[in-house]
Amino acid sequence: MAENWYPIIDFDKCTGCLECVEFCPHDVLREEDGMPVVVNPDNCVEFCRGCQRGACEFDAIIFSADMEVL
Ligand code: SF4
Ligand code: SF4
């Protein structure tokens, strides 16, 4: 799947609601100690943004590709 496309959690904004873990059907994210962890970045689907736009209400997910243009 995506070589340089995976979510990064901003833990300053993340509330630990775990909606993103529930949302992603590709096992990219899992819960560890009550917080989301990116365990399988290679499983992330390029340009998906489903967890960012469809799950996270706290603007706490960015993508590796976004970092490069900041
Ligand atoms: S962008 Fe899509 S595939 Fe990647 S972690 Fe989010 S929901 Fe899963
Ligand atoms: S949906 Fe957003 S706020 Fe909730 S656990 Fe995931 S990253 Fe954190």
Side-chain angles (χ1 to χ4, degrees):
M1 295 214 190
E3 192 166 301
N4 192 27
W5 179 266
Y6 51 87
I8 297 166
I9 309 296
D10 181 346
F11 288 105
D12 288 337
K13 294 180 178 175
C14 178
T15 64
C17 73
L18 300 176
E19 290 292 326
C20 55
V21 178
E22 291 290 319
F23 184 93
C24 180
H26 299 287
D27 198 31
V28 176
L29 299 148
R30 277 188 210 155
E31 179 268 333
E32 280 182 22
D33 296 328
M35 297 300 277
V37 177
V38 179
V39 290
N40 290 311
D42 291 349
N43 282 7
C44 188
V45 178
E46 197 166 17
F47 307 128
C48 168
R49 291 191 193 271
C51 52
Q52 181 189 50
R53 293 180 174 162
C56 187
E57 297 180 7
F58 301 96
D59 196 26
I61 299 176
I62 56 173
F63 286 86
S64 51
D66 297 336
M67 299 285 281
E68 291 168 8
V69 295
L70 291 178

